[in-house]
Amino acid sequence: MKVSTKRWWPSHSSARRLNAVCLLMIGAAVLALLGVDFQRYPVDPWQELSRIGWGLLLPGWSEATTLIQALLQTVAFALLAVAVSTPLGLLLAMAFRWRLVRMLCAALRSVHELFWGLIFMQLFGISPLTGLLAIIVPFSGVFAKVFAEIFEQQSPLPARAAPKGASVFIRTLYTLIPQSWPALLSYTRYRFECALRSSAILGFIGLPTLGFHLETAFKQGQYSEAGALMWAFLLLIASIRWWLRPWLIVPYLIAAIWLLPDTIGFSDGGSLWRFVSVDIWPAALLAGDWHGLLHWFSVMFSQQVWPGVVQTLLLTQIAVVLTGFIVLFTYPFASRALVGPWLRWPGRFVLLVLRCTPEMVLAFVLLLLFGPSGLPVVLALALHNGGLIAFLVANASDAAFRSGQARADDPRGLTRYAYIETPRRLPALMAFLFYRWEVILRESAIMGILGVATLGFYIDSAFEEIRYDRAFLLIVVTALLNMLVDSLSRRMRGAFSQQTNIT
Amino acid sequence: MTASAELFQLIRCTFRYSGPEQGERPALADITLTIGPGEKVALLGPSGAGKSTLLDLLYQQQPQCSALQPQGGGLVDLLSAYQNIFIGGLDRVGTVAALWNLVRPLAGQRQAITDLAQRLGLQDKLWHSVDRLSGGQRQRVALGRALFRQQPVFLGDEPVSAVDPVQAAELLTYVLQQHETAVVCLHNRRLALDLFDRIVVLQGGRICCDAPAGDLSAEQLDHFYQQDTSPLNPVACGHQTDGWVIRTS
Amino acid sequence: MSRLYGLLKSLVCVRLICSSLLLLALPLWAQAQAFVFTAIPDQDESRLQQRFGKVADYLSAQLGVEVQYIPVKSYAAAITAFRNNQVQLAWFGGLSGVQARRLVPGSQALAQGYEDQLFKTYFIAHQDAGLEQADELPAALKGKTFTFGSKGSTSGRLMPEFYLRQQFKSAPQALFSRVGFSGDHSRTIAQVQSGAYQVGAVNYAVWESELAAGKIDTNKVQVIWTTPTYPDYQWTIRGDVDQHFGVGFTDNVRKALLEMNDAELLASFPRLRFVPASNGDYEPIEATAKAIGLLD
């Protein structure tokens, strides 16, 4: 009998489509490898690495008051920001049918929290409002997108059956929201953890959260202080489920408002208008000098925008694919169905460490190990995001295991991994990966210390040089790139999404 | 007949799901049931009577020699019908061969599974991923996985509920031929009376009837379901009866 | 029609949430009329609040107004705060001071550190780079890996870049195989010492103090070239403080700074003492920044 390969994976196979998407991504990454400098330099890192190691092993708790204060403020910013951005995201999700709303949300989330922070700092100075908005604005966009996708996955029948006279808002309130309540809740809970990370990271630009002290300690080589901060943050994240109880949320929110730092000094109200009307536009444009504007633009394009876009896309593509492999290799060690209820804890701990360690710290350690090149950039991004996605995938696996989806006669070990768990998790894994594609694109910003000139590197330089016109142009380019990747990933996910509800 | 010759044996067994939401009533109460090799048993009873729980308990007594078909099938959506059926035979091939089969189906297994698919009416759908199949087709894939286990005992939870009546009877007959012993939860009284030699009826977690099929008639089975509308628990049972009536009519 | 109504309803909800957000933020918007300053020392950024809180207490006693200190993370943040009048006085680096004074007309440099009159940058290299101490930047730098300090630093970026361009007539990115920005002088030293980068540019004062503290292994990393001297850190004050805090306030601040002689306070910067400075002292810095394209 003649057998063509076509018969094994015809177009009626979701697996085949997914495989095609995977191969496409891997192929693109392999091509990207040709364009990235992965040169390794001979290094002598052991003295510094051993200091870092001792710092982590013997953390210094002498600055306990500062630590606790920073910890509390980290939580306060995260709580308030999520409390505001969740309902905002929900409302935006209800209006997600409108292209304008979709574009607005894509624009909001396409700018990294740190850059939102830098923008709002121009407007509101170093103040709690700056910190809150820096989280609220992008998070609302993310919530809107994810909530809208959760709504899409629900059966449309209850909403269709609801009285036509009722408003969209009321109909959603009575149909889609209750239908998808568990999914909304679990995503919000996960997002709170993200908000804690964002809140901590915002310390890098001056908010009094954990990142403020972590950056200082790391920068100045005070590794035992850095160790204490890292451990504290790790414990904070690991213990969320014990301290974040539904009935405690209202008291927490009140406490959070009280805990926010005072605004020192005052900001004159004119800075907002000056920022939007003057600062972000090139001087040539404001002067009406079209020739000068063209020159400004061509210089920016040839020296920063184009090389930045190319570097960013190449590194992102490699990092995304590497992230995928890291997830496939690590998630089984944290999954109950695969390694059992007890043995999964070491695996879960490693994933916790990976996702709680800011990429900046990972990048620094990897820089010491490999020297400056694309290699530590890609590894840092892939390890951090791989740890995060593997954690989510392992959680999904455990949830399915608990809910009794698992059959008593399912195979065990490697065959279970290959036949049951991985095929079941793969669509979600790919979806997470596509989300992180955007995130990784934004995060490549922090790689200036590695001498890798991504878009984020140029944005950071523009802010540092107080050239907001450049920063604005570069942020717009980054946002457009993000939206492009977003629509591409949406389309690719469409290729393997399950065609439920249609018979 | 000695006790060791019995395949399944439950004596005054009560089973309660753990967790606060499960309420006071046990899923199974005071069950005494013995099933020997060669018996073909149909489990009847309204939804929520405890049939699936009972089937699980039976499976745990003989996991080595039982082919299980749980409700919903427990299929892996992304994989093709072929791979889902193949999972049933994973323990008969080595790990390396099993992994290679994901890349390129093993020749010997392909033949066996193609034959089986023919029998199940799935020959055209063998290479479709199961998320693209209809409910009835998915159920036949799940049945295929159980058949490919090639065990002497079949434990099925409504294995043909989504298949049309004529095909349902054919498939069930085939399954009963292929297995020495079978315990099958059913909603269809006609199939139970025609194809099985023993009928066990559950109500509210208790066995209310356990008799040879030849001793029972469709009217008697209706009688058991009418008892379920007793004033003891009128609201809950009223709801359940609806399902019962619709499926048997 | 119902769709429009639904949209309106959603909008009302958004409005409600926005206004509650504002209510939340407003009380935090304390309109304190205190005199606020900021400072980022060129070394040891730990416990800023405690250390500079004492400087604030000193200034408060000298000036007779409430003085507060606000910690910032970067020169850019300090410039922004200065420009937005969130702070009225700042301890800037040479370059950031120039940038800030260009953005706030009327602002002036008041005083600089004694050391800042004759500041310099060290070029340091890892042993394996095979570079020796020399009177001019060696041609062998070509193709090495190189790290600056922070992007906006005078000693870690501006001056070294200027001398590199002067010597080699090309941008650092073209000269070196890779150019990084460590973000901090201590990091620069650590990264060159570990061999992650072969060459780096570092603030001389930080190098000397880390050397004295025994953190540097001179078998691994050495100074290979020293830049000519240039003016660096200085106190800069906004031009409109006299309007807000009374006539002669600027002079009082300068006097208070010059008279600061408590070793503990001075150690926070760390400087021996402060000496008078003027905007004109920083013209070379401005010219250099323009020459390498950091200022338009």
Side-chain angles (χ1 to χ4, degrees):
Chain A
M1 197 169 71
K2 220 176 128 189
V3 179
S4 67
T5 45
K6 214 178 166 191
R7 268 190 77 190
W8 292 332
W9 308 108
S11 61
H12 287 291
S13 161
S14 301
R16 190 184 179 214
R17 288 186 170 209
L18 198 53
N19 282 349
V21 171
C22 289
L23 282 177
L24 207 67
M25 293 289 286
I26 293 172
V30 170
L31 284 180
L33 277 176
L34 301 174
V36 173
D37 172 15
F38 274 151
Q39 195 188 340
R40 283 199 52 192
Y41 296 90
V43 290
D44 174 20
W46 305 114
Q47 188 185 353
E48 195 73 11
L49 285 180
S50 72
R51 288 185 55 216
I52 296 175
W54 281 117
L56 285 174
L57 285 177
L58 303 171
W61 301 99
S62 55
E63 304 282 330
T65 350
T66 319
L67 182 84
I68 289 168
Q69 200 178 3
L71 216 54
L72 289 176
Q73 291 188 338
T74 305
V75 178
F77 274 111
L79 265 174
L80 288 172
V82 170
V84 177
S85 54
T86 311
L88 276 179
L90 208 54
L91 285 174
L92 287 169
M94 291 179 198
F96 223 62
R97 290 168 294 153
W98 286 296
R99 196 183 181 80
L100 199 70
V101 174
R102 282 203 302 275
M103 282 171 65
L104 171 77
C105 291
L108 292 184
R109 64 174 189 273
S110 62
V111 178
H112 195 276
E113 290 98 279
L114 276 182
F115 294 144
W116 279 120
L118 286 172
I119 291 172
F120 287 121
M121 199 179 275
Q122 312 308 321
L123 308 181
F124 307 113
I126 300 162
S127 67
L129 191 63
T130 295
L132 285 175
L133 286 176
I135 306 178
I136 289 170
V137 169
F139 272 49
S140 299
V142 176
F143 272 126
K145 175 185 171 170
V146 175
F147 286 170
E149 269 166 17
I150 291 176
F151 287 162
E152 265 172 37
Q153 287 160 11
Q154 307 304 317
S155 160
L157 299 175
R160 229 181 274 162
K164 292 283 168 286
S167 71
V168 179
F169 178 69
I170 293 298
R171 256 187 290 165
T172 313
L173 202 62
Y174 273 84
T175 57
L176 285 175
I177 293 181
Q179 274 172 280
S180 50
W181 185 250
L184 298 179
L185 208 61
S186 89
Y187 186 75
T188 308
R189 208 178 293 137
Y190 158 67
R191 209 63 211 164
F192 175 67
E193 191 193 305
C194 300
L196 279 176
R197 279 198 296 270
S198 298
S199 166
I201 298 289
L202 280 170
F204 290 178
I205 59 166
L207 289 173
T209 55
L210 274 174
F212 189 100
H213 306 285
L214 185 64
E215 203 243 12
T216 302
F218 234 87
K219 210 158 81 169
Q220 320 244 305
Q222 295 150 343
Y223 295 124
S224 60
E225 275 88 347
L229 290 158
M230 296 269 293
W231 280 111
F233 189 57
L234 216 67
L235 290 175
L236 183 75
I237 297 274
S239 61
I240 288 179
R241 64 164 121 169
W242 288 292
W243 56 263
L244 191 70
R245 298 282 179 185
W247 58 275
L248 278 171
I249 287 177
V250 172
Y252 276 164
L253 285 174
I254 294 166
I257 294 174
W258 179 72
L259 271 170
L260 283 183
D262 294 328
T263 302
I264 298 174
F266 56 93
S267 227
D268 58 6
S271 52
L272 175 67
W273 177 241
R274 186 193 62 208
F275 187 73
V276 279
S277 66
V278 181
D279 287 358
I280 58 174
W281 308 109
L285 176 71
L286 296 172
D289 170 11
W290 298 110
H291 188 72
L293 182 67
L294 201 68
H295 179 251
W296 178 85
F297 190 78
S298 70
V299 166
M300 278 302 289
F301 187 81
S302 63
Q303 292 183 0
Q304 302 198 352
V305 174
W306 179 248
V309 166
V310 170
Q311 273 296 318
T312 308
L313 282 179
L314 294 181
L315 289 171
T316 303
Q317 186 59 34
I318 301 170
V320 164
V321 170
L322 192 61
T323 304
F325 282 115
I326 288 178
V327 174
L328 283 178
F329 282 115
T330 52
Y331 96 84
F333 297 101
S335 144
R336 187 172 174 173
L338 290 167
V339 294
W342 299 110
L343 272 179
R344 73 190 161 130
W345 289 111
R348 292 184 84 85
F349 178 74
V350 171
L351 296 183
L352 175 74
V353 171
L354 285 180
R355 73 178 197 274
C356 289
T357 310
E359 294 95 321
M360 186 207 71
V361 174
L362 280 175
F364 176 69
V365 172
L366 292 164
L367 165 69
L368 292 178
L369 279 171
F370 300 111
S373 75
L375 191 60
V377 178
V378 166
L379 278 178
L381 290 171
L383 283 173
H384 177 83
N385 289 290
L388 183 67
I389 298 178
F391 161 75
L392 293 175
V393 169
N395 270 1
S397 162
D398 283 4
F401 190 76
R402 270 197 309 273
S403 74
Q405 196 194 346
R407 288 176 57 149
D409 64 343
D410 274 337
R412 316 242 151 255
L414 201 55
T415 42
R416 185 191 185 102
Y417 172 76
Y419 274 86
I420 309 284
E421 291 297 332
T422 304
R424 279 208 178 127
R425 303 302 145 225
L426 210 52
L429 190 159
M430 292 295 284
F432 288 136
L433 211 53
F434 279 124
Y435 284 137
R436 297 310 281 188
W437 202 4
E438 295 174 56
V439 177
I440 290 172
L441 196 69
R442 296 196 292 262
E443 282 172 348
S444 63
I446 43 116
M447 296 308 171
I449 58 163
L450 302 171
V452 177
T454 57
L455 277 175
F457 171 83
Y458 290 118
I459 295 174
D460 183 57
S461 301
F463 272 109
E464 201 66 36
E465 293 166 19
I466 323 285
R467 280 166 162 160
Y468 302 130
D469 50 347
R470 290 185 181 188
F472 183 65
L473 174 74
L474 290 162
I475 285 179
V476 168
V477 170
T478 313
L480 288 175
L481 202 61
N482 255 304
M483 288 187 221
L484 193 77
V485 165
D486 179 41
S487 76
L488 198 67
S489 70
R490 214 177 149 84
R491 210 164 280 198
M492 284 180 124
R493 252 182 306 143
F496 60 80
S497 69
Q498 295 170 20
Q499 317 237 307
T500 45
N501 303 327
I502 303 161
T503 45
Chain B
M1 201 182 273
T2 59
S4 62
E6 305 300 348
L7 210 46
F8 300 109
Q9 191 162 44
L10 294 170
I11 297 168
R12 304 192 64 91
C13 174
T14 296
F15 184 83
R16 206 183 287 270
Y17 284 103
S18 56
E21 305 96 27
Q22 302 301 332
E24 289 301 301
R25 208 187 73 164
L28 291 175
D30 201 23
I31 299 281
T32 299
L33 182 67
T34 305
I35 297 171
E39 284 197 85
K40 310 281 201 274
V41 183
L43 278 179
L44 297 184
S47 306
K51 302 191 296 294
S52 303
T53 311
L54 180 56
L55 212 59
D56 277 347
L57 289 186
L58 295 180
Y59 177 77
Q60 281 160 25
Q61 292 200 342
Q62 298 289 352
Q64 293 309 318
C65 62
S66 299
L68 181 69
Q69 188 190 350
Q71 215 167 15
L75 299 178
V76 181
D77 281 336
L78 199 61
L79 296 181
S80 61
Y82 167 85
Q83 301 289 8
N84 270 288
I85 294 174
F86 178 80
I87 290 175
L90 270 178
D91 51 353
R92 295 196 296 274
V93 297
T95 306
V96 177
L99 294 181
W100 179 244
N101 177 68
L102 277 174
V103 183
R104 199 182 169 85
L106 304 168
Q109 310 289 339
R110 273 195 60 202
Q111 196 50 54
I113 291 173
T114 309
D115 293 346
L116 185 56
Q118 196 98 35
R119 168 89 47 189
L120 295 167
L122 286 171
Q123 59 274 29
D124 298 337
K125 305 286 179 187
L126 195 55
W127 305 105
H128 290 213
S129 58
V130 296
D131 59 344
R132 284 156 199 265
L133 300 184
S134 72
Q137 290 164 340
R138 287 172 63 94
Q139 198 164 43
R140 279 178 277 153
V141 174
L143 195 59
R145 175 173 164 179
L147 283 165
F148 200 61
R149 292 277 298 142
Q150 299 173 5
Q151 298 296 330
V153 181
F154 176 80
L155 298 175
D157 196 344
E158 297 179 32
V160 290
S161 59
V163 182
D164 68 78
V166 177
Q167 209 180 12
E170 278 173 20
L171 288 174
L172 210 50
T173 310
Y174 180 66
V175 167
L176 296 177
Q177 272 171 17
Q178 295 294 311
H179 294 89
E180 186 195 357
T181 313
V183 184
V184 179
C185 299
L186 280 179
H187 270 314
N188 190 321
R189 295 166 306 165
R190 184 51 50 203
L191 286 178
L193 289 171
D194 290 353
L195 302 178
F196 291 81
D197 44 45
R198 179 176 167 193
I199 289 177
V200 174
V201 183
L202 281 175
Q203 261 180 3
R206 289 169 194 277
I207 293 178
C208 63
C209 168
D210 182 355
D215 295 356
L216 290 165
S217 65
E219 290 70 34
Q220 279 171 304
L221 288 178
D222 280 346
H223 176 66
F224 288 119
Y225 113 76
Q226 276 159 1
Q227 273 188 343
D228 199 47
T229 57
S230 63
L232 280 173
N233 200 352
V235 180
C237 291
H239 179 70
Q240 287 161 356
T241 2
D242 285 345
W244 179 245
V245 170
I246 288 164
R247 282 171 202 241
T248 48
S249 57
Chain C
M1 201 47 217
S2 70
R3 185 178 278 189
L4 190 70
Y5 180 60
L7 181 68
L8 273 176
K9 265 196 163 172
S10 315
L11 281 177
V12 168
C13 278
V14 174
R15 283 271 307 273
L16 271 176
I17 287 162
C18 288
S19 52
S20 54
L21 172 67
L22 275 180
L23 278 178
L24 187 97
L26 274 178
L28 312 165
W29 209 247
Q31 299 278 317
Q33 277 291 331
F35 182 66
V36 186
F37 78 99
T38 187
I40 318 176
D42 52 2
Q43 44 189 304
D44 190 9
E45 286 181 30
S46 59
R47 297 186 302 283
L48 289 177
Q49 194 72 56
Q50 289 95 315
R51 287 155 56 201
F52 286 96
K54 288 178 185 157
V55 177
D57 294 344
Y58 165 80
L59 288 175
S60 189
Q62 298 291 308
L63 299 173
V65 295
E66 191 193 347
V67 178
Q68 284 182 316
Y69 167 75
I70 182 167
V72 292
K73 267 282 160 196
S74 66
Y75 292 119
I79 295 169
T80 301
F82 187 76
R83 185 189 189 197
N84 289 345
N85 204 9
Q86 188 173 13
V87 304
Q88 291 78 45
L89 175 73
W91 172 245
F92 282 124
L95 174 61
S96 46
V98 168
Q99 287 171 311
R101 288 192 294 274
R102 274 162 59 103
L103 289 168
V104 184
S107 55
Q108 50 175 311
L110 281 185
Q112 57 184 186
Y114 174 80
E115 296 88 334
D116 294 302
Q117 305 171 89
L118 299 169
F119 218 75
K120 54 198 174 186
T121 295
Y122 286 158
F123 278 70
I124 58 173
H126 191 265
Q127 192 61 35
D128 294 346
L131 299 166
E132 292 299 322
Q133 184 151 20
D135 291 336
E136 62 176 27
L137 280 167
L141 278 181
K142 280 191 183 122
K144 298 276 190 283
T145 56
F146 178 84
T147 184
F148 287 116
S150 129
K151 285 172 183 167
S153 161
T154 309
S155 53
R157 163 81 188 278
L158 177 72
M159 297 319 280
E161 178 163 350
F162 175 76
Y163 287 110
L164 282 169
R165 282 178 186 262
Q166 196 182 50
Q167 174 86 14
F168 296 100
K169 310 281 182 257
S170 70
Q173 283 74 9
L175 176 65
F176 297 110
S177 65
R178 194 165 288 278
V179 176
F181 291 89
S182 71
D184 180 82
H185 299 297
S186 306
R187 286 303 69 192
T188 305
I189 297 172
Q191 287 177 7
V192 176
Q193 179 157 275
S194 72
Y197 283 96
Q198 291 168 301
V199 187
V202 66
N203 174 324
Y204 88 103
V206 176
W207 172 272
E208 298 294 351
S209 86
E210 294 220 346
L211 195 63
K215 289 186 187 168
I216 296 173
D217 180 353
T218 48
N219 290 322
K220 287 186 176 169
V221 56
Q222 273 187 349
V223 177
I224 56 162
W225 189 64
T226 307
T227 62
T229 61
Y230 53 86
D232 204 348
Y233 289 79
Q234 88 294 149
W235 286 104
T236 294
I237 195 163
R238 285 180 64 96
D240 54 5
V241 286
D242 285 7
Q243 286 169 36
H244 289 290
F245 298 95
V247 179
F249 189 78
T250 306
D251 295 332
N252 290 343
V253 174
R254 178 186 285 128
K255 188 160 168 284
L257 291 171
L258 296 179
E259 286 174 359
M260 193 189 292
N261 53 17
D262 182 339
E264 191 193 350
L265 297 185
L266 288 166
S268 296
F269 292 92
R271 291 294 182 265
L272 210 57
R273 62 170 188 276
F274 294 115
V275 298
S278 68
N279 291 4
D281 293 342
Y282 290 88
E283 272 164 16
I285 297 287
E286 186 160 2
T288 309
K290 281 181 178 161
I292 69 167
L294 276 178
L295 284 177
D296 294 318

